[in-house]
Amino acid sequence: MLPLTYYLVISAILFVLGALGVLIRRNPLIIFMSVELMLNAANLAFVAFARSFDVLTGQIFVFFVIAVAAAEVAVGLALIVVIFRTKHSIDVDLMSSLKG
Amino acid sequence: MLLSEVTNTGFFNLAPWIIFSPVIGLLVNIIYGGRMGEKAIGWLASAASGLAFGVSVLLAVSLSGVHGEAQVVLFADWIRIGELNIPWNFRVDTLSVTMMLVVSGVGTLIHIYAIGYMHEDVRFKNDLGRYRRFFVFFNLFIVMMMILVSGDSYLMLFVGWEGVGLCSFLLIGFWYEMDTLGRPSWANSNAAKKAFIVNRIGDLGFILAAMTMFWYFGSLQFGEVFAQAEEIAAHQPLVMIAITLFMLIGVAGKSAQIPLYVWLPDAMAGPTPVSALIHAATMVTAGIYLVARSAPLYVTVPNAQYIVALVGAVTALCAATIAVGQYDIKKVLAYSTISQLGFMVAAVGMGAFAAGMFHLVTHAFFKALLFLSAGSVILGLERGHHHLAHHGKSEMPAEAAPTPPKYGHGSSSHNEAFDPGDMRNMGGLRKTMPVTFWLYLIGSLALAGIFPLAGFWSKDEILADAQLHYPLVYILLTIAAFFTAFYMGRQNWMVFFGKARHDAAAHAEESPKIITVPLMVLAGLSILGGALNLPYLHTFTHWLGYTLGGEGAEVVAEGAAHAVEAAPWYVLGGLNLAVAGLSTVLALAAIYISWILYGRKPLTHGQIDPLKKMLGPIFTGMERKWLVDEIYWALFVDRYVDVSRFLADVIDWRFWHDWFHDKFIAGTYNWLSNIALDKVIDTRGIDAFFNGLGEMTKQASASLRRLQNGFVRSYALAVLFGVVVILGYLLIR
Amino acid sequence: MDFTLILFIVLAAVAVLTAIGMLVSRNAVYAALFLVLNFATVAIFYLMLGAPFIAMAQVTVYAGAIMVLFLFVIMLLGAEKLPKGGVLPWQRPLAIGLAAVLLAEAGYLLFQRIQMTTELAGPGLEVNSVEAVRTLGLALFNQYLLPFEVTSVLLLVAMIGAIVLTKKEKGEA
């Protein structure tokens, strides 16, 4: 079997790539996808640790993370739709004023 | 010592309710009274007072259950400073329960009476809103009086003492913006102020007494003070004399004795139930209660006792003579009250505490009756007057009623106000107000001391005691008793007999049941009150003896000889026939003389008093109250005003204000602030520093502002930067 | 080089490459498709770690439901591409630099401080799937019943929120 560290390395790489996506992309849809990627990276670390310590809690937590992610995506996409409807664009750099 | 024992048994735990129940009554009336009808307000206040009476009765019953042993009901800690510890305890003994019964019992009857009286009074004076205020004040008075009589220390007593003074002030000035006839004036509020200020002088005496007591006794609790009384009196008799005489000043203020009695006649400016409850039956007897309560102190200094007795006797005679010359129905009763209070003070001064308290109780009955009946008479005349104003016709001869007065008090255009309290406007009311007449007659006979009404027994007990040891007091009091019968006779003839001397009197109407029924109860008590302490039985004396030493002292003091010494007043003699006979004969003679003067040939309208023709200047003196008010005014008030004016004009205004404040302080300050502080320190130092600070902040924030560019991604970058830095710190730590 | 290691290296390469693909693709649809692939590889990682239920949930919820939602919105808005150019010139180099530092820190942490090179115990791919799911279910419905139910409330709230947000207000249309 493989050492825990391997999985953690993959998890870290994916997390950093996700963070980079959040920072350099202007399309909020892709920003969202990057956030999902980061969540996945964290989930991977959870499951790996759960396996390592032979406990179930890590998997349970991943289950809840998936549920929360689903909720977050639903609300986030709804927000994007609303923003698009008012601004006719979804570039986050255009949303720099406090007024709606 | 029996007194210091603390027992909480039987109904004694209910004692605080004598205060709670009127407090609840007045709170409910304050909060909800605006939404309640007049009836509800009045009956609620009466019920609150009645509940206090019920509790008092329970206390009295319980007390007789424990053979009159004094009970101290612990209630709350009040003051605790270092060694000084003054709890708020309720003292339930035979003396305080007697006072509670009188206060709440007579008080309840007067409450009920006031329901009817104030109903009309607020209408005659055009201010319905004050109905509720009246009952709030009345309940407050019951509260304060109960605190006074139930307190277990001189300090607690003083709280009630001041509280009743406050209520007295509030109620004398109840119609504060008018005079007694309803015309706009400050007369009523001046009367209230007079009462308050004169009482302050008396209170100063009380405070001095209390402070001296605390200095030498180290306590103000009754039990602890009385326990040391004999010892202190033996070693420092002057201290004891000082305390008792200071206390006498307080008594003179509250119980209207010479020289501080002048406020009581003016106090009649209050509504009649107030005069009855506060200025006749209860509050003014607080002084007598105080002396009786302090009996263990007074018996140790016979000299002070003699002074007290003499003050009382002189007051009794002096006030009785003034009463003879008065025309106002309430003023006569006011001076009569002063005179009767003089009797009581003389009694307690002589050490005849039981006799004094006995007279206090009976006097509460018949003087309340007299005042309330007088109120009924006044209301009857008001009604008659009202009746006339509405019908606008005069059945009297033109010279008898030159201008039929219009109804409507409080209007300044009304020049010749009708005075419903002036006896010269009355006459013949026997026919128009028969119930009131009979009630008044009973009260008068009781006051005059006619056998077998209450006043006879109590007055004769005082006279009998005086005759034993104090001949001078006895003579003064006997003469006063003669005058008492005379002025009461004069009043009755003038008010109820003969013919009406005014239209209003001719059209007077009888008062409704709500007013007359409480009077009937009081009349019953005035007739039967003497049964409390009949000669040979001395129920009341025994009852008080538990507290004041008599029987109790015998038990405690081991030996009859000592007992007599401890309580020389505790004489259970029979009926002294000589004394009683003499006073009765004098009273009857006085009534007969008054009949000759006023009854045989009734006064007609405008006729001068027949006594004036006979006595001339002496009667004028009586009528003018021996010019005491004027003398006080010239001697004290004017001088006081001069001093105040000097202080105000010269010291305060010219020296203090003009020179010291304006020139010296303000000038120096201006110079200092202008030149030194403003120009140099403020402008060049402080301003420069803070302006620079502000400029720096402005510039710093202008440069920091650029960080807030509004781009979400920049903020996210900042977050990542923070994460990297924190993680880095954690790693290299 | 046993089979597991080879599988791991291949999958890791795919995961990293698809993540980079998502990061750099200009078209949002491509990005979404890359991400689907990435999620699938992560699901296989879960299987290798003996978590078959989570792997299936990953495929159905993430790769299935969530990504379909993404694609749906992209096509609904027609916003797969944004015009070039940006107002924040320093954003990209700074972000890449910081990301590199973060990765370096993570590597330092993993290899120097923790040094967990011991192999994972127990069965991986060979786990009894039915038994594993059964254990997870028991834990979920006994020990974690309350959070589980709260999750349902959360989903309901999200659903209502999404509906309310996207609903056209009166007079707006």
Side-chain angles (χ1 to χ4, degrees):
Chain A
M1 288 300 292
L2 299 167
L4 172 65
T5 319
Y6 287 18
Y7 290 100
L8 294 183
V9 167
I10 284 295
S11 168
I13 292 172
L14 291 181
F15 186 86
V16 171
L17 288 172
L20 208 51
V22 170
L23 291 177
I24 63 177
R25 297 306 299 258
R26 285 181 295 132
N27 190 334
L29 287 162
I30 295 184
I31 290 178
F32 251 109
M33 289 180 209
S34 303
V35 170
E36 298 302 322
L37 186 61
M38 288 161 81
L39 285 172
N40 253 281
N43 282 355
L44 185 59
F46 265 122
V47 175
F49 276 119
R51 179 89 171 86
S52 171
F53 296 110
D54 201 19
V55 289
L56 215 50
T57 324
Q59 292 192 27
I60 301 280
F61 205 89
V62 169
F63 177 80
F64 287 126
V65 169
I66 291 174
V68 172
E72 171 229 335
V73 165
V75 176
L77 290 178
L79 281 171
I80 289 172
V81 169
V82 174
I83 289 168
F84 183 79
R85 212 182 272 159
T86 52
K87 293 232 170 195
H88 302 291
S89 168
I90 51 171
D91 190 342
V92 285
D93 283 358
L94 293 180
M95 292 175 252
S96 60
S97 65
L98 286 174
K99 275 200 293 184
Chain B
M1 181 102 190
L2 294 172
L3 301 177
S4 59
E5 272 177 30
V6 174
T7 328
N8 281 336
T9 49
F11 290 112
F12 295 116
N13 280 328
L14 288 175
W17 279 96
I18 59 173
I19 287 171
F20 288 163
S21 91
V23 163
I24 291 168
L26 82 91
L27 284 181
V28 171
N29 268 344
I30 286 176
I31 298 167
Y32 300 109
R35 271 172 272 156
M36 289 155 57
E38 276 190 1
K39 281 264 159 58
I41 292 171
W43 282 110
L44 175 75
S46 310
S49 172
L51 185 61
F53 178 66
V55 173
S56 307
V57 170
L58 284 179
L59 290 177
V61 171
S62 316
L63 205 54
S64 59
V66 294
H67 306 292
E69 212 170 284
Q71 308 286 323
V72 175
V73 181
L74 297 176
F75 181 59
D77 259 352
W78 183 33
I79 297 176
R80 192 188 280 275
I81 308 168
E83 294 289 299
L84 175 66
N85 178 23
I86 301 175
W88 181 4
N89 288 348
F90 285 80
R91 185 188 186 84
V92 182
D93 58 22
T94 50
L95 181 60
S96 66
V97 163
T98 306
M99 287 300 285
M100 287 177 203
L101 286 171
V102 171
V103 170
S104 57
V106 176
T108 305
L109 289 172
I110 298 177
H111 268 77
I112 295 169
Y113 170 91
I115 295 172
Y117 184 89
M118 291 312 292
H119 173 82
E120 301 196 31
D121 200 28
V122 293
R123 279 167 180 73
F124 283 128
K125 291 183 171 122
N126 284 326
D127 188 352
L128 300 185
R130 284 195 209 179
Y131 191 83
R132 165 163 64 134
R133 190 190 300 173
F134 181 85
F135 281 98
V136 170
F137 288 166
F138 241 39
N139 269 353
L140 182 64
F141 171 75
I142 298 283
V143 173
M144 289 304 173
M145 198 67 202
M146 286 302 195
I147 290 177
L148 197 162
V149 299
S150 66
D152 188 33
S153 67
Y154 279 101
L155 210 55
M156 208 62 227
L157 192 151
F158 188 62
V159 170
W161 185 274
E162 289 298 300
V164 290
L166 169 70
C167 294
S168 165
F169 169 76
L170 292 172
L171 284 163
I172 294 169
F174 188 72
W175 299 107
Y176 54 84
E177 76 282 42
M178 53 183 81
D179 64 8
T180 40
L181 305 184
R183 292 172 300 197
S185 145
W186 295 115
N188 283 0
S189 52
N190 282 341
K193 279 190 278 184
K194 185 174 178 182
F196 203 67
I197 291 167
V198 173
N199 262 304
R200 266 312 62 67
I201 299 170
D203 294 344
L204 178 69
F206 189 113
I207 293 171
L208 286 174
M211 286 201 270
T212 317
M213 190 186 294
F214 185 69
W215 187 258
Y216 286 98
F217 288 72
S219 170
L220 290 171
Q221 300 291 113
F222 290 145
E224 293 169 29
V225 170
F226 299 158
Q228 304 174 49
E230 281 192 33
E231 195 192 329
I232 300 254
H235 293 109
Q236 294 159 297
L238 278 178
V239 170
M240 213 49 143
I241 289 177
I243 291 174
T244 46
L245 289 186
F246 281 144
M247 214 178 266
L248 175 63
I249 299 175
V251 170
K254 190 62 75 185
S255 288
Q257 297 300 297
I258 286 176
L260 298 178
Y261 71 90
V262 289
W263 65 272
L264 188 62
D266 289 34
M268 296 303 126
T272 305
V274 176
S275 310
L277 179 60
I278 301 185
H279 306 120
T282 54
M283 184 190 86
V284 288
T285 60
I288 287 91
Y289 170 75
L290 178 63
V291 178
R293 175 53 83 199
S294 312
L297 304 183
Y298 276 94
V299 292
T300 58
V301 274
N303 291 340
Q305 275 188 299
Y306 190 63
I307 295 174
V308 176
L310 219 51
V311 165
V314 172
T315 308
L317 179 56
C318 178
T321 57
I322 296 175
V324 170
Q326 297 303 309
Y327 291 111
D328 190 291
I329 185 167
K330 279 173 78 180
K331 283 274 163 68
V332 173
L333 294 176
Y335 280 103
S336 158
T337 304
I338 298 173
S339 166
Q340 297 303 309
L341 288 168
F343 272 84
M344 296 175 218
V345 169
V348 291
M350 291 183 295
F353 299 108
M357 290 300 294
F358 181 36
H359 196 54
L360 186 158
V361 174
T362 57
H363 175 258
F365 296 152
F366 58 69
K367 193 49 70 70
L369 171 63
L370 282 172
F371 262 114
L372 297 182
S373 307
S376 172
V377 168
I378 292 170
L379 277 185
L381 255 70
E382 290 260 20
R383 284 188 215 103
H385 189 57
H386 192 175
H387 175 85
L388 280 184
H390 277 254
H391 292 77
K393 59 182 177 186
S394 167
E395 291 165 10
M396 294 293 287
E399 70 272 12
T403 45
K406 286 179 301 205
Y407 172 69
H409 294 290
S411 66
S412 54
S413 61
H414 201 314
N415 288 328
E416 202 181 337
F418 166 68
D419 186 352
D422 193 333
M423 294 194 293
R424 283 169 297 192
N425 286 336
M426 301 176 185
L429 290 176
R430 178 171 40 115
K431 294 183 185 108
T432 41
M433 305 182 76
V435 180
T436 306
F437 163 65
W438 283 109
L439 293 168
Y440 204 91
L441 192 63
I442 292 167
S444 305
L445 293 177
L447 175 57
I450 302 298
F451 179 85
L453 284 82
F456 170 78
W457 303 106
S458 55
K459 194 180 288 183
D460 274 348
E461 197 169 327
I462 294 176
L463 291 175
D465 286 338
Q467 176 259 346
L468 283 177
H469 300 290
Y470 299 88
L472 179 58
V473 173
Y474 171 69
I475 292 165
L476 289 171
L477 290 183
T478 309
I479 301 170
F482 170 81
F483 277 112
T484 306
F486 179 77
Y487 63 68
M488 285 322 290
R490 169 177 179 265
Q491 191 175 37
N492 272 288
W493 300 124
M494 280 180 83
V495 173
F496 292 104
F497 292 87
K499 279 186 181 154
R501 289 182 289 277
H502 192 282
D503 291 355
H507 290 89
E509 290 165 30
E510 184 56 85
S511 296
K513 284 243 159 45
I514 185 86
I515 286 180
T516 52
V517 169
L519 294 184
M520 291 171 194
V521 178
L522 282 171
L525 290 169
S526 302
I527 296 171
L528 301 173
L532 276 177
N533 205 20
L534 289 176
Y536 304 110
L537 292 174
H538 292 290
T539 333
F540 191 68
T541 311
H542 284 299
W543 170 254
L544 286 181
Y546 294 127
T547 302
L548 292 175
E551 230 169 33
E554 275 178 58
V555 180
V556 174
E558 305 145 358
H562 195 162
V564 172
E565 206 177 276
W569 56 274
Y570 198 69
V571 187
L572 302 177
L575 180 64
N576 190 327
L577 275 179
V579 172
L582 178 61
S583 64
T584 309
V585 167
L586 279 176
L588 289 174
I591 292 170
Y592 178 70
I593 295 170
S594 69
W595 179 75
I596 292 175
L597 287 173
Y598 299 97
R600 197 172 47 182
K601 279 188 295 176
L603 258 63
T604 52
H605 181 79
Q607 184 193 344
I608 49 167
D609 199 290
L611 205 57
K612 192 165 188 165
K613 279 181 273 183
M614 290 168 56
L615 296 175
I618 297 177
F619 184 82
T620 314
M622 291 171 169
E623 190 183 346
R624 302 283 298 276
K625 305 154 192 173
W626 300 123
L627 297 174
V628 169
D629 270 338
E630 286 78 0
I631 293 167
Y632 277 9
W633 199 265
L635 276 184
F636 301 114
V637 184
D638 276 348
R639 297 292 82 75
Y640 182 78
V641 169
D642 287 347
V643 170
S644 329
R645 191 157 288 150
F646 174 77
L647 288 174
D649 285 355
V650 178
I651 302 288
D652 182 68
W653 195 248
R654 275 191 232 152
F655 170 73
W656 203 241
H657 178 270
D658 283 359
W659 185 79
F660 189 74
H661 281 162
D662 277 7
K663 288 232 178 77
F664 186 69
I665 295 190
T668 315
Y669 185 81
N670 270 339
W671 179 84
L672 204 67
S673 53
N674 250 329
I675 308 298
L677 295 174
D678 181 20
K679 299 255 164 72
V680 180
I681 296 182
D682 190 52
T683 314
R684 292 195 205 147
I686 297 173
D687 272 11
F689 174 73
F690 284 104
N691 284 342
L693 209 64
E695 203 59 37
M696 261 169 63
T697 313
K698 239 161 88 180
Q699 279 167 11
S701 55
S703 49
L704 280 173
R705 198 177 66 87
R706 290 190 205 151
L707 282 178
Q708 290 287 337
N709 57 6
F711 292 108
V712 180
R713 294 196 297 150
S714 293
Y715 298 153
L717 194 67
V719 171
L720 184 69
F721 180 74
V723 169
V724 167
V725 168
I726 291 172
L727 192 60
Y729 168 75
L730 289 176
L731 285 177
I732 63 172
R733 189 176 49 151
Chain C
M1 293 277 275
D2 59 290
F3 167 69
T4 336
L5 187 58
I6 296 167
L7 181 64
F8 179 82
I9 291 171
V10 172
L11 286 174
V14 172
V16 171
L17 287 175
T18 49
I20 293 172
M22 181 212 73
L23 198 59
V24 298
S25 58
R26 296 207 44 78
N27 192 322
V29 177
Y30 292 166
L33 292 174
F34 276 126
L35 200 59
V36 171
L37 201 52
N38 181 284
F39 285 166
T41 55
V42 173
I44 298 172
F45 281 140
Y46 290 158
L47 274 179
M48 289 168 70
L49 287 166
F53 180 76
I54 297 294
M56 291 309 117
Q58 172 86 355
V59 171
T60 47
V61 178
Y62 263 123
I66 293 181
M67 293 323 292
V68 167
L69 198 57
F70 266 108
L71 286 170
F72 191 69
V73 171
I74 292 167
M75 290 169 181
L76 175 76
L77 302 182
E80 61 268 26
K81 276 188 184 173
L82 287 180
K84 281 196 177 180
V87 284
L88 295 169
W90 286 100
Q91 178 80 11
R92 183 171 300 202
L94 272 177
I96 292 172
L98 277 176
V101 174
L102 184 61
L103 195 59
E105 283 175 345
Y108 173 78
L109 182 73
L110 287 174
F111 289 106
Q112 296 298 314
R113 301 289 287 270
I114 300 181
Q115 290 178 340
M116 274 193 282
T117 48
T118 47
E119 298 208 343
L120 295 170
L125 273 175
E126 313 79 36
V127 76
N128 184 342
S129 299
V130 177
E131 197 54 40
V133 173
R134 182 183 150 77
T135 321
L136 187 69
L138 280 175
L140 205 53
F141 289 109
N142 287 313
Q143 198 180 348
Y144 297 100
L145 185 62
L146 181 67
F148 181 76
E149 295 295 341
V150 173
T151 308
S152 69
V153 177
L154 177 76
L155 287 170
L156 178 68
V157 170
M159 189 171 80
I160 294 170
I163 292 169
V164 170
L165 278 173
T166 50
K167 206 182 85 169
K168 282 193 176 162
E169 285 175 31
K170 270 181 189 169
E172 198 190 315

